[in-house]
Amino acid sequence: MIAVGLNTAFQSYRLANESTRANELLTRAVEEVGDELAFASSVDVTGAGPTFVSPTTKQPVAIGNDADGSGIVLVSQNAGDDSAFDPVLFVASSHGLTVEVFDVAFNDDKTDNGKKNTWDFRIDIKQQGRDTVIASTAMTVAWIG
């Protein structure tokens, strides 16, 4: 009976600890991605997805997810140029949790609910190797430029 009680207590502690770590990672990712997009010096929406001049790399980039699940990356848009670089890990996955960004969009006119010059994005936190989302949020940030 004591073993069952201890097992339940350890399970509860593990879930609470995982939830706390997921929320901390989500908060950090929202701040980092939000700042990166808000302070982009220029934005281009003519291609497949929005690209911007990064305040971090000072070069044209797209934001996305690393293929191996290591986190959110900035991907150079200087294809074939000597200034092109390998994807830069921007927000790292950690503590057995994976951080991913989705639905990155730039609103450059007022047709989308009256929003102009804003970025929309969603960030999900999952356990590594699983599809279950532990923490998630959708955000809109103003582009300051």
Side-chain angles (χ1 to χ4, degrees):
M1 203 160 163
I2 293 173
V4 171
L6 284 175
N7 189 34
T8 302
F10 284 131
Q11 179 86 358
S12 295
Y13 172 77
R14 185 185 62 75
L15 290 173
N17 194 24
E18 182 178 80
S19 178
T20 298
R21 286 184 177 156
N23 286 323
E24 288 171 354
L25 181 56
L26 180 63
T27 298
R28 186 169 54 83
V30 165
E31 288 174 5
E32 296 289 333
V33 170
D35 286 351
E36 185 73 7
L37 297 174
F39 294 106
S41 56
S42 66
V43 179
D44 182 2
V45 294
T46 59
T51 61
F52 57 96
V53 174
S54 165
T56 301
T57 67
K58 310 292 189 236
Q59 294 185 35
V61 299
I63 195 164
N65 301 310
D66 197 46
D68 68 4
S70 62
I72 299 171
V73 294
L74 300 177
V75 181
S76 176
Q77 298 300 295
N78 290 333
D81 188 333
D82 288 343
S83 64
F85 53 86
D86 290 334
V88 173
L89 185 59
F90 187 62
V91 181
S93 297
S94 65
H95 296 95
L97 300 171
T98 303
V99 58
E100 298 176 315
V101 64
F102 296 99
D103 307 327
V104 178
F106 184 72
N107 306 300
D108 60 347
D109 60 38
K110 289 189 177 183
T111 60
D112 185 19
N113 297 324
K115 298 183 287 186
K116 182 174 178 159
N117 293 334
T118 59
W119 288 95
D120 294 326
F121 61 94
R122 187 183 91 230
I123 294 181
D124 290 350
I125 308 295
K126 302 176 183 176
Q127 282 184 329
Q128 285 180 341
R130 295 195 177 161
D131 289 332
T132 305
V133 175
I134 299 171
S136 181
T137 192
M139 297 293 297
T140 298
V141 295
W143 177 50
I144 297 167

